[in-house]
Amino acid sequence: MTGKLPVFNIERFAIHDGEGIRTAVFLQGCPLKCPWCANPESQVIGKKLMFLQKKCVGCGTCVQCCPQHAVSLEDGHAQLDRGSCVRCGACAAACPQAALKISGQWMTVDEIFALVVRDADYYRQTNGGLTLSGGEALLHIEELLPLLQDCKDHQIPVDFETCGHVPAEAIEKALPWTERFLFDVKTADAEKFRRFTGGSLDVVLKNLKIIAKYDAQKLVVRVPVIPTLNHTEKEIRAILDVALCLGISRVDLLPYHTLGMTKYAQLGQEYPFSEKKSLSPEALQSYADMGRKLGLIVTIGG
Ligand code: SF4
Ligand code: SF4
């Protein structure tokens, strides 16, 4: 769908996706399959029907309006037959409790920019701007170029949050427009990277090097600290060494959390990761201290 972008969320006044006050635009489509992903609705492009069972009062409105007969009532609440659902959204529009929601819509650059530019004064006052996230926003670089031009024309800085697992051309195209890349380095162990995410660490490190060579100050290395993936001193040290070798000075350590678990339930999916307990920020303190001793600027929580 040329010229349109698959958006699943737009967050106004975001403060965890880069500096200052920002608008974060989240796009669908991701090349990796991290089992701890907190946004399962982002992984594949297309509409998703989300059902918040707690809100459902069993009124039956959705049963009446579904053209596919994909909803029934069971034990006092709606029951979805997802195999028959065509994600038309009729039930979501009619539900008086907002217990049903369609996630994922195609938006034009003009529609997105109109939402972004509203808060230009806040960006100016706080060194904020637009953050393009996902999913993996860089997969859509061609469609994003006009948006990047609009932002430049209005002096709105743009950051990308990226998993780094994209074609090098996407990075090269984004570079001149981008103030900062919040760049995930999940592990320095290629075998673990492949096993946990299905991707190739070579691709990620190659892209990291391209940006570092262009301007290492554009980079913040983001490390999701995940039990069984990298939650040991040795593994975090290996990631910090990657940053140091490339002249990158800023590292964010992000404690593993399970906030996304409810979304899997809303999508009718099992949570695929074995660990079910969040890490506290304190659990990362020794890693932060280690990084600071090495001369890095380390933040816990981004
Ligand atoms: S319309 Fe909403 S509240 Fe009523 S049964 Fe359907 S999901 Fe539940
Ligand atoms: S999205 Fe459409 S097809 Fe799917 S359950 Fe709702 S009304 Fe039925």
Side-chain angles (χ1 to χ4, degrees):
M1 210 171 286
T2 318
K4 289 197 172 188
L5 290 151
V7 177
F8 74 93
N9 190 18
I10 294 184
E11 204 177 310
R12 205 175 173 187
F13 301 121
I15 51 166
H16 296 294
D17 302 286
E19 294 218 358
I21 290 174
R22 315 191 69 84
T23 296
V25 175
F26 295 85
L27 303 180
Q28 288 179 318
C30 185
L32 302 180
K33 292 278 170 288
C34 307
W36 54 82
C37 178
N39 291 317
E41 76 276 40
S42 76
Q43 292 177 335
V44 178
I45 295 173
K47 288 181 181 178
K48 315 279 180 309
L49 179 62
M50 304 183 83
F51 176 46
L52 294 75
Q53 189 176 310
K54 270 201 303 202
K55 287 190 173 184
C56 175
V57 294
C59 69
T61 308
C62 52
V63 179
Q64 301 302 320
C65 73
C66 176
Q68 296 295 113
H69 308 291
V71 203
S72 55
L73 283 185
E74 232 170 83
D75 298 330
H77 58 73
Q79 184 76 28
L80 297 172
D81 171 5
R82 289 184 181 270
S84 305
C85 170
V86 293
R87 296 170 292 283
C88 68
C91 58
C95 173
Q97 300 296 314
L100 290 152
K101 184 181 124 187
I102 290 283
S103 174
Q105 59 172 320
W106 290 97
M107 291 179 74
T108 64
V109 161
D110 288 349
E111 286 167 340
I112 296 171
F113 185 69
L115 297 176
V116 171
V117 76
R118 288 178 303 182
D119 295 326
D121 286 345
Y122 294 107
Y123 310 148
R124 264 190 287 281
Q125 287 162 25
T126 64
N127 291 326
L130 166 65
T131 299
L132 293 164
S133 186
E136 178 48 64
L138 284 166
L139 292 181
H140 308 287
I141 187 64
E142 289 300 336
E143 292 77 10
L144 283 170
L145 288 172
L147 179 63
L148 297 174
Q149 181 70 60
D150 284 343
C151 287
K152 186 173 185 195
D153 293 346
H154 290 76
Q155 294 170 325
I156 297 173
V158 178
D159 288 1
F160 274 93
E161 272 179 339
T162 179
C163 71
H165 201 279
V166 294
E169 302 78 58
I171 297 279
E172 278 152 4
K173 279 189 180 155
L175 261 171
W177 306 92
T178 306
E179 172 146 294
R180 223 168 280 105
F181 291 88
L182 310 175
F183 195 114
D184 268 20
V185 181
K186 302 174 201 294
T187 173
D189 179 327
E191 191 282 321
K192 269 194 160 177
F193 188 83
R194 187 199 52 72
R195 179 154 45 92
F196 279 85
T197 73
S200 158
L201 185 61
D202 283 351
V203 173
V204 174
L205 295 182
K206 185 178 160 198
N207 286 330
L208 189 67
K209 281 175 197 158
I210 290 171
I211 303 172
K213 196 170 165 202
Y214 184 92
D215 181 357
Q217 294 309 309
K218 280 187 184 287
L219 277 162
V220 177
V221 163
R222 292 199 135 185
V223 186
V225 179
I226 311 283
T228 72
L229 173 74
N230 60 15
H231 186 22
T232 66
E233 195 178 314
K234 189 175 163 204
E235 284 163 300
I236 298 294
R237 173 65 200 248
I239 297 170
L240 298 178
D241 282 343
V242 170
L244 284 166
C245 282
L246 295 174
I248 300 162
S249 55
R250 291 185 49 193
V251 174
D252 290 346
L253 301 173
L254 310 176
Y256 169 65
H257 66 78
T258 55
L259 297 175
M261 274 172 90
T262 50
K263 287 192 180 176
Y264 287 85
Q266 289 167 19
L267 290 163
Q269 296 174 9
E270 291 282 324
Y271 185 62
F273 196 41
S274 53
E275 296 292 318
K276 307 284 192 292
K277 258 181 81 181
S278 297
L279 290 178
S280 68
E282 294 73 43
L284 276 50
Q285 193 55 53
S286 63
Y287 302 149
D289 293 342
M290 177 169 65
R292 288 173 192 140
K293 274 187 201 143
L294 294 166
L296 294 162
I297 300 161
V298 183
T299 311
I300 298 177

